[in-house]
Amino acid sequence: MRYRFVGSVAMGGVVAALAACAPAKSTAAAQPPAAAPAPARDTTRPPPGAGAVSAPNADPFPSTYVVPASRATLIRNVTILTAAGPTIRDGSVLLRDGKIAAVGTSVTAPGDADVIDGRGKYLTPGIIDDHSHMGVYAAPGGDALSDGNELTNPVTANVWAEHSVWPQDPQFPRALASGVTTAQILPGSGNLIGGRSVVLKMVPSPSVQGMKFPGAKYGLKMACGENPKRVYATRGPSTRMGNVAGYRAAWIQAEAYRRRWDKWNADHQGDPPQRDLGLETLAEVLRGNILVHNHCYRADEMMQMIDIAKEFGYKIRSFHHGVEAYKIADRLAKEGIAASLWSDWGGFKMEAMDGVRANLAMVSAAGARAIVHSDDASGMQRLNQDAAKAMAAGEEIGIHTTEDEAIKWLTINPAWALGLEDKIGSIEVGKNADVVLWSADPFSVYARVDRVWLDGAPAYDRANPSSWWRTDFELGNVPLPNGGAR
Amino acid sequence: MKPGTGKDPSLTLGTGRESGTALPWTVTIVAAAALLCLATTSAEAQTVAITGGKVYPVSGPPIENGTVLVRDGKIVAVGANVTVPNGATRIDATGKWVTPGLINALTDLGVTEINAVPATVDRSARGDSGVAASFPVWEGINPASTLFAPARNEGVTSVGVIPTGGLIAGQAAVIDLVPGSLTDMIDKAPIAMVAQFGDPRDGGSNARGEQYARLKELLEDARAYSRRRAEFERAQTRPFAARRADLEALVPVVEGRLPLLVNVDQASDIETVLRLSRESNVKVIIAGGAESWKVADKLAAANVPVIVGAMVNIPQSFSSLGSRQETAALLQRAGVKVVLIGNGSGEEGFNVRNLKYDAGVAVAYGLKWDDALRAITLTPAEVFGVANRVGSLQPGRDANIVVWSGDPFEFATRVEHVLIRGREVVQPSRQDELMQRYKTYPPVYRKP
């Protein structure tokens, strides 16, 4: 099932007023910034607890992921699509201590290294899907696992996708087995502002914190067009102009909130202002600490969203779905906004009518960052094939895309969209050792993922079914992925 | 050739048109429109020879450097030593692959234009308590749908148009994607009665056992009705479980002349459908079949074909916990007739064209290449009873033929020629026109 829009229209009461958070336990990161220049600090009152303070870059649900220990691994005689330069034939990559330690045609490995012969195979960076609803719309679906759209208010900037993520979603191991090592989990698109995203590593863990990418910025999900106006048809917004008024009203409040808190965080004068989870998230966008991921199909609406961003002084990091991105690709390039796209999923609703299969190639050729995204746990397993389709469609209209460029659509470009381009997304020395070994050219329909390493540790090995990650849910419910006994 | 690409300046059948690169796009469109007119109005009296290609008849082994000869819309010869008559229009397929036109068995093409715009959706009948047996889905097909061209331009020449919803959804048809009116398009209708079994809430019933009982009652009453039509007309029968028109539509099913196509995923539900088939003496086709691999031997023994996707491996519901991508290969190995479709339950109209990639993925997951090609050509034709017309390259068959630049399943392969009933159809899709308009900046909104 694909989650272009999910969820019945449940119009309950407005979210209850947010209770004040208990100040008892706080993490270091959530403390009020002690380093702030605080002239004439008011000493007549006890300092507020962290839960009462709206601090920039607070991290109240910190990642508990730890890079696993691993043997040094040398993958040699392999064709390497680096996403950082030209293809390396008969190349080698050394993974050590969780990082890519060496890349080239002659790499020497330590004597105790695992040596993998990649003859006839391809190595790519781990695939990154910047638009997924795994965990928040977990399989096997149904109301009990439908946690992606908080359809109680058109602006729910206060909700965080990670609080809906079910780590036992069987879609996670399928993502890994298809080469996806990092995914951004977004709230759905039923609201104008849907809430915070979370960036996850595809690793087993009993908690979402154990999957969270350490240090990754949060994203904010916004949505244009048909979905919000359909959900809120009876109480508003019921039109596209109502949508725009809704975004602007939210940013006006957010800007006032940001100013109040920036002032208080600087001078600590008087009681802290009332904390508001929704406005706090929006204020973090205005401060540049949270990246905006904007679901928006039509070119005209994307242009309006660009103007709204300028009006309130924030940046849109990527337009998602953007089936009409090709119509304004030059403008996206100029604004430095990425486009997260499908190759050929369109036509299912009015605003998706003008989808074309060369969209990615056209956007890429115009100099904008093109990203293949999924929005769907089935499509997510074939982002390489989506790229291949877009390459072929580009050829049909005279736009040639090299494999070296196309591999960026599913690696370094989405890494940029997540603000993680210095850590993942390419095979370069110093990057996290997230790599995928393919049985053949990944742009061939016949290519299979043979192996995946995540932070240098073996994470998936097609030849060894007993090692495959199965979520708790799958035990007893889902036959072994190979259909047989271990 | 792919319309509007300006890449292949070779002939186009039936006109003296040359679509060389010098022609502006708008002119190409006009020419294509003129060609369509011609193709649908002129008498079919021409001979076409596709020569030099690697020919996959599907009904027989591949032929290197083969020729396919077409006359008056039909295939008249296929082989390595076919004499091309003087005056035949030649398509040079040297270095190319030649296959039957692909058949996407499970689509809503023509009855769904934009899924979220109800006025364009005609695939589900209101029915009567979940029963819409009399619903002829093809009567809603819109021959002007913009979704035919993208499918056809990528090698799909026939599709099954399948109704959805309810316990009994209605009657399906096979159409050729030939420009023209609905009657021109229809290959055969009905080809199957469509039903579903399994997730109880999908069928207008509250439990699987209730679904079973209702299906059984409907089939029994259709049989009783067929024997007692005269008494029925005089109101001298007991009340039946469905309206007259629905009972009438079910008569061919109970007489074994029309198969019952059942959307069903869970292995135990498939076994129930097989049992119902035996008990009620009804021919069945399984569609969806997420867990069909678990009962492959039983399906093979019952000679029941299965329509499956190759890209489905998510336990998306409690009825499909056993979904896996090897299903097609496992069924084939067990001797089951396999039809491949997109997305497990059929791709949306926009992507009916992606059938060939499902075949490629099925190969990556263990299906033999030749079996995969058969699963999107001849096998669906056989399952739907239209193999005498489409699905293979043999003398006497309709000339639905595709010339590919290479392996049809590969992304980099281009469609070079599509013939339907012997005519090359050249019609740019809406998407083609949009791409041409916007491929340069600023976009070309009108002819300079």
Side-chain angles (χ1 to χ4, degrees):
Chain A
M1 188 189 291
R2 295 183 138 170
Y3 296 101
R4 72 187 74 100
F5 178 72
V6 178
S8 57
V9 181
M11 227 81 75
V14 177
V15 173
L18 298 160
C21 296
K25 287 196 173 178
S26 62
T27 64
Q31 293 284 0
R41 182 183 284 269
D42 184 346
T43 54
T44 60
R45 301 159 211 265
V53 171
S54 187
N57 288 315
D59 189 18
F61 304 91
S63 170
T64 57
Y65 171 82
V66 177
V67 174
S70 60
R71 280 177 68 183
T73 301
L74 180 75
I75 305 149
R76 64 180 185 188
N77 299 325
V78 73
T79 302
I80 308 168
L81 298 175
T82 65
T87 300
I88 302 171
R89 311 263 166 209
D90 293 319
S92 298
V93 172
L94 178 65
L95 317 178
R96 193 169 54 203
D97 300 329
K99 302 286 182 194
I100 293 169
V103 186
T105 46
S106 60
V107 171
T108 50
D112 61 343
D114 241 349
V115 178
I116 312 289
D117 187 38
R119 198 174 303 275
K121 300 185 178 186
Y122 278 67
L123 195 74
T124 69
I127 290 172
I128 301 164
D129 187 358
D130 78 350
H131 195 119
S132 172
H133 299 295
M134 284 185 293
V136 301
Y137 283 117
D143 291 347
L145 293 171
S146 177
D147 287 306
N149 262 315
E150 180 57 42
L151 298 179
T152 50
N153 195 300
V155 176
T156 56
N158 54 316
V159 305
W160 298 26
E162 65 199 81
H163 300 140
S164 279
V165 168
W166 185 40
Q168 306 301 341
D169 182 355
Q171 295 172 139
F172 287 125
R174 283 155 183 75
L176 176 69
S178 54
V180 174
T181 48
T182 306
Q184 172 170 243
I185 312 302
L186 290 153
S189 54
N191 293 345
L192 301 175
I193 299 180
R196 287 198 194 201
S197 70
V198 64
V199 179
L200 301 182
K201 288 173 178 281
M202 296 300 103
V203 292
S205 169
S207 73
V208 71
Q209 292 94 322
M211 303 176 78
K212 284 177 74 173
F213 197 114
K217 287 185 171 175
Y218 282 101
L220 178 72
K221 173 70 175 285
M222 296 180 68
C224 300
E226 288 182 30
N227 288 359
K229 86 184 187 98
R230 185 170 66 243
V231 171
Y232 295 99
T234 56
R235 59 176 281 206
S238 66
T239 59
R240 285 184 162 85
M241 60 188 173
N243 286 356
V244 170
Y247 311 125
R248 297 175 80 199
W251 291 119
I252 288 167
Q253 281 191 297
E255 174 59 13
Y257 183 88
R258 181 193 69 77
R259 291 162 69 97
R260 276 200 302 278
W261 271 102
D262 283 355
K263 179 173 182 301
W264 190 88
N265 280 327
D267 63 20
H268 288 209
Q269 288 297 305
D271 274 343
Q274 173 72 43
R275 190 178 170 202
D276 180 298
L277 286 177
L279 295 175
E280 179 172 287
T281 290
L282 299 181
E284 283 289 78
V285 171
L286 296 174
R287 295 184 188 111
N289 295 334
I290 288 180
L291 306 174
V292 171
H293 295 273
N294 200 154
H295 155 125
C296 212
Y297 285 81
R298 272 178 19 190
D300 55 328
E301 290 185 282
M302 286 189 264
M303 297 297 275
Q304 289 174 337
M305 295 312 290
I306 291 171
D307 280 352
I308 293 169
K310 287 182 195 296
E311 181 182 12
F312 293 98
Y314 68 91
K315 295 263 192 213
I316 298 163
R317 194 70 166 187
S318 184
F319 280 119
H320 290 237
H321 308 343
V323 298
E324 294 188 5
Y326 64 94
K327 296 184 181 180
I328 52 165
D330 53 343
R331 185 63 189 274
L332 296 176
K334 186 167 153 244
E335 299 288 341
I337 300 173
S340 302
L341 310 171
W342 305 291
S343 69
D344 58 11
W345 200 29
F348 44 86
K349 54 181 170 175
M350 198 67 204
E351 64 188 4
M353 244 183 103
D354 283 2
V356 299
R357 207 185 240 164
N359 199 8
L360 282 149
M362 293 166 86
V363 165
S364 185
R369 274 189 186 83
I371 294 169
V372 197
H373 76 337
S374 78
D375 191 22
D376 167 57
S378 184
M380 173 192 61
Q381 299 177 59
R382 280 170 280 279
L383 293 176
N384 53 314
Q385 300 190 354
D386 235 24
K389 284 189 273 183
M391 291 167 78
E395 294 288 343
E396 294 274 321
I397 56 166
I399 296 174
H400 177 66
T401 309
T402 63
E403 292 198 344
D404 293 332
E405 188 60 31
I407 193 67
K408 295 179 184 172
W409 300 349
L410 35 151
T411 55
I412 193 67
N413 289 0
W416 180 86
L418 304 181
L420 292 170
E421 71 277 14
D422 57 338
K423 295 191 173 75
I424 55 175
S426 62
I427 298 183
E428 292 178 278
V429 172
K431 284 278 182 90
N432 292 1
D434 295 354
V435 297
V436 182
L437 186 66
W438 303 80
S439 65
D441 184 330
F443 299 109
S444 161
V445 75
Y446 303 119
R448 295 281 303 271
V449 169
D450 278 348
R451 298 194 63 167
V452 180
W453 287 265
L454 209 157
D455 284 322
Y460 173 75
D461 180 358
R462 175 152 75 107
N464 187 6
S466 67
S467 72
W468 295 349
W469 168 19
R470 300 178 75 212
T471 59
D472 294 351
F473 172 76
E474 290 174 82
L475 302 178
N477 274 319
V478 177
L480 278 167
N482 64 349
R486 280 172 189 263
Chain B
M1 63 171 277
K2 205 79 188 291
T5 57
K7 281 190 175 177
D8 185 349
S10 66
L11 82 171
T12 303
L13 306 182
T15 69
R17 180 171 82 79
E18 289 187 3
S19 60
T21 49
L23 281 176
W25 171 246
T26 42
V27 175
T28 314
I29 293 169
V30 171
L35 173 75
L36 279 176
C37 251
L38 202 75
T40 52
T41 56
S42 69
E44 290 184 359
Q46 57 176 332
T47 304
V48 182
I50 302 167
T51 60
K54 184 171 185 177
V55 178
Y56 286 87
V58 182
S59 50
I63 304 159
E64 296 287 347
N65 195 13
T67 295
V68 182
L69 194 63
V70 173
R71 189 178 300 130
D72 300 341
K74 299 278 185 189
I75 296 168
V76 292
V78 181
N81 300 304
V82 173
T83 307
V84 177
N86 286 335
T89 308
R90 281 174 181 266
I91 293 176
D92 181 9
T94 307
K96 317 289 186 192
W97 300 31
V98 182
T99 72
L102 308 185
I103 302 173
N104 196 325
L106 228 60
T107 79
D108 57 7
L109 214 53
V111 290
T112 301
E113 189 70 10
I114 303 170
N115 200 34
V117 178
T120 70
V121 179
D122 290 286
R123 62 170 185 263
S124 301
R126 188 181 304 278
D128 181 22
S129 303
V131 176
S134 58
F135 169 45
V137 69
W138 59 86
E139 292 298 344
I141 290 174
N142 174 14
S145 168
T146 63
L147 300 175
F148 290 131
R152 181 172 55 220
N153 292 346
E154 299 212 28
V156 176
T157 57
S158 307
V159 299
V161 181
I162 312 289
T164 58
L167 181 65
I168 295 193
Q171 304 165 51
V174 170
I175 60 171
D176 276 355
L177 304 190
V178 66
S181 70
L182 174 57
T183 44
D184 294 329
M185 300 181 83
I186 288 181
D187 254 352
K188 189 178 176 190
I191 49 150
M193 182 66 67
V194 179
Q196 59 185 331
F197 191 84
D199 186 337
R201 284 168 302 179
D202 287 344
S205 315
N206 284 325
R208 286 175 161 82
E210 184 183 19
Q211 278 188 324
Y212 168 82
R214 287 194 71 204
L215 279 172
K216 188 120 184 173
E217 182 186 23
L218 283 165
L219 295 171
E220 279 171 10
D221 282 8
R223 210 180 297 277
Y225 165 82
S226 74
R227 287 195 289 256
R228 307 187 58 192
R229 280 187 177 94
E231 290 102 310
F232 181 88
E233 292 297 341
R234 294 194 299 270
Q236 289 175 345
T237 61
R238 63 175 168 80
F240 287 133
R243 298 181 304 192
R244 188 203 58 81
D246 291 324
L247 293 169
E248 192 66 63
L250 285 167
V251 170
V253 177
V254 295
E255 290 180 349
R257 291 183 282 119
L258 187 68
L260 189 67
L261 184 154
V262 188
N263 291 289
V264 54
D265 283 318
Q266 190 169 300
S268 59
D269 293 338
I270 294 172
E271 291 198 72
T272 303
V273 169
L274 289 179
R275 189 155 36 78
L276 187 76
S277 159
R278 284 195 303 274
E279 291 167 354
S280 299
N281 200 22
V282 167
K283 259 171 67 179
V284 294
I285 302 165
I286 301 296
E291 296 188 343
S292 56
W293 61 271
K294 289 184 172 180
V295 290
D297 290 344
K298 289 172 179 163
L299 288 161
N303 196 26
V304 168
V306 181
I307 303 175
V308 287
M311 300 192 187
V312 181
N313 69 341
I314 294 171
Q316 198 58 66
S317 74
F318 278 94
S319 298
S320 61
L321 292 176
S323 292
R324 51 190 303 212
Q325 291 187 259
E326 296 86 353
T327 298
L330 294 169
L331 292 172
Q332 181 83 33
R333 210 169 297 159
V336 178
K337 271 196 172 190
V338 175
V339 174
L340 279 169
I341 51 159
N343 208 22
S345 54
E347 271 295 359
E348 289 161 309
F350 214 71
N351 283 326
V352 162
R353 56 190 173 182
N354 283 347
L355 180 65
K356 54 198 175 182
Y357 306 133
D358 283 88
V361 169
V363 171
Y365 283 83
L367 192 63
K368 290 196 183 97
W369 194 95
D370 288 352
D371 292 335
L373 181 62
R374 197 181 204 288
I376 56 175
T377 54
L378 186 52
T379 305
E382 288 169 351
V383 167
F384 287 155
V386 289
N388 59 331
R389 292 193 60 174
V390 297
S392 63
L393 302 181
Q394 307 183 59
R397 300 297 186 271
D398 285 357
N400 290 4
I401 306 170
V402 184
V403 180
W404 312 80
S405 66
D407 180 349
F409 305 160
E410 273 291 13
F411 301 109
T413 297
R414 290 164 36 86
V415 171
E416 310 249 338
H417 302 272
V418 178
L419 277 72
I420 305 189
R421 299 183 191 162
R423 298 262 168 194
E424 180 149 28
V425 182
V426 180
Q427 184 186 40
S429 68
R430 249 194 114 244
Q431 296 173 48
D432 291 327
E433 294 189 57
L434 281 164
M435 286 188 285
Q436 288 298 333
R437 168 171 283 187
Y438 285 98
K439 77 176 182 181
T440 54
Y441 295 96
V444 184
Y445 289 114
R446 58 187 73 242
K447 205 160 63 166

